[in-house]
Amino acid sequence: MSFSRKRSALYARIPGGADGRRMLWIALINKAGTGLWMGAAALYFTLVTGLSVAEVGVLLGVSGAVGIAGAPLAGHLADRFPVTRIIIGAQLQQAVALSALLTTDNFALLLLYSAVNSLADRGANVLTKLYAARIAGPQRTTYQAVQRTVSNAGWAIGGLAGALALAVGTTHAYQALLIGNVVSFLAAAVLTLRCAEPPSPSRLVADSTATAPVAPPSNPWRDRPYLLFTVTEAALFLDDAVLQVGIPLWIVHATDAPHGLAPLLMVLNCVLVVCCQVPLSRFGSTPERARALLVPLAACFVVGCGALTASALGGTWLAVAALTVAAIALTFAEILHAIASWELSIALAPDDAQGAYLGVHGLSSSAQRSGGPLLVTAVIAAGPLAWPVLGAGVIVTVAAQSRLVRKRLTRQSPGADRAVAPRAM
C-alpha cells in the first residue's frame, strides 16, 4: 500500500467521522496560534509591558481565578444549548481579549483583558472535551489522545515560530506572536461553523420532559466523591504551571541557561506529546487502568522537580542539561495525567448531566491556572530546595486520589462505563 493510501486509511479511522476530523484541524490551527503566544507570554509581560516577576504572577493568578467560572458556566450551557455555538462564542471572546492586550501596558487593564481571555479559555477547554466525548462515543479515549497529539503538533509549530521571534527580541516581534494567536482564534471560529452538532444525552432528557416524567438530573455539586476528585485534580495539573510559567522564569532568574531555551523546551514538550500521547493512551482505556497511571505520574513529577533543583547549581551546560531532563519528566507527567484525568472524569460522570460534571471537573485546571502561577513563583522565590517539597506534595495528592477513585469505582456496576448514582463517602 502506498504512503498516501496508508495516510488516507489512518485518516478514515479517526473517531467522529468528518466532523471529528474537522475538529482536529481546528485544534491544530488553534494551538499553533496559542503556541506562538504562550511560550512567550510571561516574558512579554516582563520585557515589553515592564511588569515585575511578582506582578506577572499576580496577573496570571488573578486572571486564572476569574477563569475558574468559565468551566462550570460552559458545562451548564452545553447541557442546554448547541455546544458548537458556545465554542464559537468562546473563540471570538478570546480573539477580542487578546487583541486588547496590544493596546496598553497598564497593569489593571492587562489584568482585565487577561481575565476575560482566561474565562473563555477555561470554558473552551471543557467544551472541546465534551464535544469529543459526544462525537466519539466509546472511542473517546482514542479520540482524545489523537486530539491532544494534533494540539501539541500545533503547539510545536507555534513554539518554533515563537523561538525565532524571541531570537529577534524586539517589541514588534513579541506583538507579532500575539497577533498570530488572535488570527488563529478567528480562523478556528470560521471552521467551527461548519461542524455539525453532536447528540447530547442531557438535552434529549430535557426534551423528553414534555411527554414523560423523568427523574431530576444528577447534580455534581451534591456529589461529594466527584468534588473531592476534582480537588485532587487541581494539584495534578501543576505540571502546566511549571512548564508554562515556572521553567521560563526559572531560566531567567535562577540559572545560567540562555533565555532562548524556554520556547525550545516548549517545543520539546509538544514533540514528546505528539510522539507518545496516542501510544500511551492504551494504558488508560478503562477507569481501573487509568487509576494505575497515577504512580508513574508522581514519579515523573518528582524527577522533574529534582532536575530543576540541579539546574541552579551553576554552569551553562549543567543548567541546559538539567532543564531538558526536567522538561522531559514533566512532559511525561503531563501525558500520563491527561490520559488518567480524561478517562476518569468521563467515567465518573452520569450521562444525564455530562456537561455539568465536566464543567465541575474543569474547575481543577482553572484553579491550577489561578493558584499554580502564584505557587510556582513562590517556589522560585524560595529557592532550589523548594522544588523537591513541591514534588512531595504531588506524591501525597496522588495517594489521596488513588484511594478516592478506588472507592468510587467499587460502587459501579460490573463492566459499567460510568458511575452509579452519587453517594457520599
Side-chain angles (χ1 to χ4, degrees), residues 49-409:
T49 64
L51 301 184
S52 67
V53 173
E55 286 176 324
V56 172
V58 171
L59 183 147
L60 296 176
V62 173
S63 63
V66 174
I68 289 175
L73 176 61
H76 176 80
L77 292 174
D79 279 337
R80 289 157 178 80
F81 302 101
V83 67
T84 52
R85 298 301 178 260
I86 308 173
I87 292 174
I88 292 170
Q91 291 163 339
L92 295 178
Q93 181 175 330
Q94 288 180 273
V96 172
L98 289 171
S99 297
L101 291 176
L102 295 166
T103 65
T104 183
D105 58 2
N106 179 272
F107 176 74
L109 290 177
L110 291 171
L111 178 59
L112 172 63
Y113 302 147
S114 296
V116 173
N117 174 64
S118 179
L119 186 71
D121 176 66
R122 294 294 86 200
N125 285 346
V126 170
L127 295 170
T128 301
K129 184 176 182 180
L130 182 60
Y131 187 92
R134 289 178 177 175
I135 202 169
Q139 295 178 290
R140 63 191 183 219
T141 301
T142 299
Y143 184 82
Q144 177 70 0
V146 173
Q147 187 174 59
R148 287 201 83 241
T149 298
V150 171
S151 295
N152 279 271
W155 271 96
I157 294 170
L160 286 172
L164 295 175
L166 287 180
V168 175
T170 65
T171 297
H172 291 307
Y174 280 101
Q175 291 172 337
L177 298 179
L178 186 50
I179 292 171
N181 195 13
V182 171
V183 172
S184 74
F185 282 121
L186 296 176
V190 172
L191 287 176
T192 306
L193 281 170
R194 300 182 58 194
C195 292
E197 180 68 17
S200 168
S202 55
R203 290 176 65 198
L204 291 175
V205 169
D207 291 342
S208 70
T209 58
T211 58
V214 295
S218 303
N219 186 346
W221 300 105
R222 296 180 180 178
D223 188 343
R224 184 170 174 264
Y226 199 90
L227 291 177
L228 292 174
F229 168 72
T230 298
V231 170
T232 59
E233 282 283 271
L236 300 187
F237 273 111
L238 276 175
D239 55 76
D240 180 70
V242 177
L243 286 165
Q244 301 286 343
V245 180
I247 288 182
L249 293 178
W250 187 250
I251 288 173
V252 172
H253 296 282
T255 76
D256 295 326
H259 295 182
L261 181 64
L264 294 179
L265 292 180
M266 294 299 299
V267 172
L268 175 61
N269 167 267
C270 295
V271 170
L272 288 174
V273 173
V274 169
C275 294
C276 301
Q277 187 73 68
V278 173
L280 291 178
S281 66
R282 68 180 185 274
F283 294 108
S285 57
T286 67
E288 292 78 10
R289 299 185 75 181
R291 173 177 168 265
L293 293 177
L294 294 176
V295 172
L297 183 164
C300 290
F301 199 98
V302 169
V303 170
C305 288
L308 286 171
T309 297
S311 69
L313 296 179
T316 300
W317 289 110
L318 175 60
V320 170
L323 287 165
T324 302
V325 171
I328 292 172
L330 290 167
T331 295
F332 277 100
E334 173 193 354
I335 292 171
L336 296 176
H337 181 238
I339 297 168
S341 177
W342 166 250
E343 176 59 28
L344 292 174
S345 64
I346 294 289
L348 302 181
D351 288 341
D352 65 343
Q354 202 175 61
Y357 268 71
L358 292 184
V360 168
H361 179 263
L363 290 174
S364 57
S365 59
S366 298
Q368 185 279 141
R369 286 288 183 95
S370 175
L374 293 174
L375 177 60
V376 167
T377 53
V379 169
I380 292 173
L385 294 181
W387 289 113
V389 175
L390 182 64
V394 169
I395 291 176
V396 172
T397 303
V398 161
Q401 184 179 107
S402 180
R403 180 176 180 273
L404 181 74
V405 171
R406 177 177 55 80
K407 292 179 66 176
R408 174 72 176 234
L409 292 177

